[in-house]
Amino acid sequence: MMPKKQSAKQATALTRRGFLVASVAAGAAFGFPRIVEAAQSFATNGEVIPPSSDQNFEPSLWYTIDGEGRVNVNITRAEMGQHIGTALARILADELGADWDDVRITYVDHEKKWGGAPTAGSRSVWSLWSVYRQAGAAGRVALIESAAQKWGIAPKDCTAEAGMVTGGGKTITFAALVAEGLSRSFTQDELKALPLKPHSDFRLIGQDVAALDINDKTTGRALYGLDAKVDGMVYAVPLIPPTRQGSRVISIDDSDARGQKGYLRTIDLQDPSGIVPGMVVVVGETLMAAKWASERVTVEWEAGETASVSEDDIQSLSRALIADDSAGTLLDTGNFDTAPAFDGAAEVLEAEYTTATVLHFALEPMNATAFVNEAGQYEIHAGSQWPALMTGWAQRALGVEADKVTIRTYLLGGGFGRRVFGDYVVAAALATKALGGTPVKLVFFREDDSLIDCPRSPSVQKLRLALDAQRNIAAMDHSAAAGWPSYTVRTEADMAKGIDDKPYDTAGIFGADHWYDVGAHKVRAIANQLASQTVRTGFLRSIAPGWTNFAVESFMDEAAHKLGVDPVTFRLAHLRPEGRNAGEAPHSIGGADRQAAVLRRVAELSGYGRSDLGPDTAIGIASTYGQEREMPTWNGTAVQLRVDRETGQVEVQKLWMVIDCGTVIDPDGAQAQCEGAALWGLSMALYEGTQIVNGQVDDRNLGNYTPLRMIDTPEMQIELIESVQAPVGLGEPGVTGVAPAVANAIYNAVGVRLRHLPMTPQMVKEAL
């Protein structure tokens, strides 16, 4: 007999929220603050999720099935608009044989058992594909075994589908099997040996289903870090020191601020960890009281060494480093000895490409709420892409043991790599410490946010091609100098090693190690320490491929024109699936062949080569493999644009993109990811960019820092290749082909080659 569904009233009585409120209410009786819940659960109908129960079946730590048949999947990655919970739950539910209407997701708080990996680099689905499939398979096997035993038949004669097990002419629901009692555990070896479904048996993967959190997001019930509330909470805003690193407070004068209603005090954070050196926070009873008071506080700082550094200084250093053959790290590209080819070259092509500093400007400003809880722990509520790392940082800054800090995670109102770095978490933790554990919400206003941002580094790249007597490519040199993003989260000791045994930041060079067959190929990754010291350069959506692919795909286009060959034909001729470019199972299988396929398809889709587009109008094309060689997502991008010769304005009329990311888990989410990435790429190609002036970024708010606007958004057509290969990343690869496609289209339209991002109207006019 199937168990009866709980009534709405009964369900409400058992809600997780109710459980938490009851718990913290008891705490409040002893003087501890009441808080809103952090980790959140979502269902398509907005239903609240019951708490975990001993009666639930928990085949693995990744999910439970309760007596109502509801499958609650634990999501360990941060949600920042990419629907990662829906994607991961779908993988597990499909392998389990669950009914999608019975699936819920819970974004868990940080605990060691979840592993602690960051949500970054488009790696979530790629890294968890096998994990969630094995977990789903474990539940399916256990449920089938239970039903088969009950019916006295062999498990092989049973199937699990749509939340039911069927076999021997009988059917039973997951709910009934769990309600009758079910326990089964698997060793790691058993998990790995479990049979996984063939691709043809997927019923949820690749199909259109409702996102599990869309109801709560659209009704405003979903909670972001800025929504965190604690009884007795005060507010704080920062005063940003003159340099990102090395500043020291000399004196603070808050005498004028004392007249501000609601002002409480000003705190020199004195961070021993060095994460927020020289930062001061102003505390008020309300957020605006703190903000207004902060404008009346005078702080004298001793600035760090980078107080006078400019963007030109950084770029000049990059050029000097590139000119120094001993600088940087050589990547293993198979054959990296290009000297003989260049020594004997009949002709050498050479070009330099540069990019400006780019800011994040996440919609939800950086914020964190911190206090000391009833267990004596520093409890920090925030949206973070890497809560495990933030826990360690906060511990180090506070000078306490590991068990004295806990992070409660929220949805992120935009991350894009900014929330990998947890300075806002450390600042909030230090603020509550100074306040004796009083709850404090620290909010960075937009102007503060830009000054403490970890922006995309300015970069300089020099590319060279050696042509032999037959004008074939014999070798390529690629030297790229920039502030390495990973310096924000790790040391050189934790970085990869090049063939010369020197460390290098993979996130600072991905893309340069491309899949074209160019003979000997020398790639040199060079750290510009001045950039990292000045603005603490960090991760930004697509990281290095945002600049390396601009250079590679512009240079390939230039070479094709120089040699009098159609650029698409030229690229295809050098995309040969041989040697290391043949790819490897499971993630890069097919290698250069798959890149060639998306290039051909986007050329066909866009009508590349048309001559009827009108004056100063053309299509440009590019092909990339964002994000990494070990998990390449093949990308073909084409852009149709018109250049106004009088104003230099570039009107992008249409954008086509063809993506091969292996198996598409969530078609609607994948389309959204690619659309967002394409527009971000277009924004950085034509609009976004700032300058470093006197050690700080010059643009502080959206009044003068102008991303792509809606009126400039082109028509887009995005096509996802049907594939049965293992899924790879999708959040960032769509960014990487847009800028070179735009540059190549401008060349095709008006015959000028732009080699700097962003490509502003002024630059276009000067080039014309």
Side-chain angles (χ1 to χ4, degrees), residues 286-297:
T286 66
L287 179 60
M288 290 314 299
K291 176 63 175 173
W292 290 326
S294 72
E295 296 169 357
R296 301 167 69 174
V297 173

Side-chain angles (χ1 to χ4, degrees), residues 325-371:
D325 287 338
S326 67
T329 301
L330 293 181
L331 273 62
D332 183 2
T333 57
N335 179 9
F336 46 83
D337 185 8
T338 60
F342 277 97
D343 289 343
E347 188 176 358
V348 173
L349 306 183
E350 182 175 310
E352 178 190 275
Y353 301 87
T354 58
T355 62
T357 301
V358 181
L359 299 169
H360 286 86
F361 275 129
L363 185 62
E364 179 198 10
M366 298 303 111
N367 69 89
T369 300
F371 60 96

Side-chain angles (χ1 to χ4, degrees), residues 417-502:
R418 171 62 184 96
R419 284 184 164 90
V420 170
F421 193 69
D423 42 8
Y424 55 102
V425 167
V426 169
L430 289 170
T432 195
K433 180 181 182 181
L435 293 168
T438 296
V440 56
K441 173 178 284 188
L442 177 64
V443 178
F444 291 77
F445 279 67
R446 192 75 68 199
E447 297 86 348
D448 308 320
D449 199 359
S450 62
L451 288 174
I452 68 152
D453 193 4
C454 300
R456 189 175 86 173
S457 175
S459 70
V460 177
Q461 297 171 83
K462 182 177 179 181
L463 276 71
R464 301 169 70 224
L465 269 183
L467 303 178
D468 63 19
Q470 290 74 42
R471 306 197 85 195
N472 296 316
I473 297 177
M476 176 184 278
D477 277 357
H478 186 163
S479 298
W484 285 352
S486 293
Y487 278 141
T488 57
V489 295
R490 57 172 62 98
T491 65
E492 290 184 344
D494 302 318
M495 293 183 180
K497 295 287 181 62
I499 58 169
D500 45 11
D501 205 35
K502 295 180 183 176

Side-chain angles (χ1 to χ4, degrees), residues 590-604:
D593 245 356
R594 292 172 72 183
Q595 184 167 342
V598 297
L599 176 58
R600 288 193 196 93
R601 178 58 186 151
V602 81
E604 177 186 48

Side-chain angles (χ1 to χ4, degrees), residues 384 386-395 405 407 420-423 425-426:
S384 169
W386 203 346
L389 183 68
M390 298 312 99
T391 303
W393 284 9
Q395 172 200 338
V405 177
I407 303 280
V420 170
F421 193 69
D423 42 8
V425 167
V426 169

Side-chain angles (χ1 to χ4, degrees), residues 104-310:
R104 290 90 173 96
I105 51 176
T106 294
Y107 291 98
V108 299
D109 287 328
H110 166 62
E111 291 182 51
K112 285 185 178 178
K113 65 180 180 179
W114 304 119
T119 307
S122 302
R123 302 172 75 90
S124 294
V125 166
W126 170 77
S127 63
L128 293 173
W129 165 249
S130 296
V131 174
Y132 276 70
R133 288 191 73 188
Q134 288 171 353
R140 186 186 73 243
V141 167
L143 289 159
I144 285 177
E145 286 180 351
S146 177
Q149 185 178 28
K150 181 183 182 70
W151 296 329
I153 61 177
K156 67 179 179 57
D157 295 326
C158 300
T159 59
E161 201 66 64
M164 295 180 289
V165 177
T166 301
K170 299 179 180 178
T171 296
I172 187 170
T173 65
F174 288 2
L177 287 168
V178 172
E180 290 175 3
L182 188 62
S183 63
R184 176 77 160 88
S185 60
F186 298 84
T187 66
Q188 285 298 318
D189 289 340
E190 287 174 330
L191 279 174
K192 292 177 181 176
L194 288 174
L196 300 178
K197 288 183 175 179
H199 199 277
S200 57
D201 283 358
F202 289 152
R203 297 291 180 269
L204 298 172
I205 291 172
Q207 304 301 312
D208 286 326
V209 299
L212 293 167
D213 54 6
I214 199 66
N215 187 296
D216 288 67
K217 284 181 175 176
T218 53
T219 58
R221 285 190 293 189
L223 297 177
Y224 296 80
L226 211 54
D227 295 320
K229 292 179 181 176
V230 185
D231 279 357
M233 181 173 71
V234 296
Y235 295 81
V237 298
L239 291 173
I240 307 297
T243 57
R244 193 70 173 78
Q245 301 187 69
S247 290
R248 187 172 67 88
V249 175
I250 302 298
S251 65
I252 297 174
D253 180 0
D254 70 342
S255 55
D256 190 34
R258 291 172 193 164
Q260 170 64 50
K261 183 180 179 182
Y263 168 68
L264 295 174
R265 61 179 288 194
T266 298
I267 303 169
D268 174 3
L269 291 182
Q270 297 185 7
D271 174 19
S273 70
I275 303 296
V276 287
M279 186 175 290
V280 171
V281 297
V282 179
V283 184
E285 293 175 351
T286 66
L287 179 60
M288 290 314 299
K291 176 63 175 173
W292 290 326
S294 72
E295 296 169 357
R296 301 167 69 174
V297 173
T298 301
V299 181
E300 181 185 359
W301 280 282
E302 178 182 283
E305 297 177 351
T306 59
S308 62
V309 171
S310 69

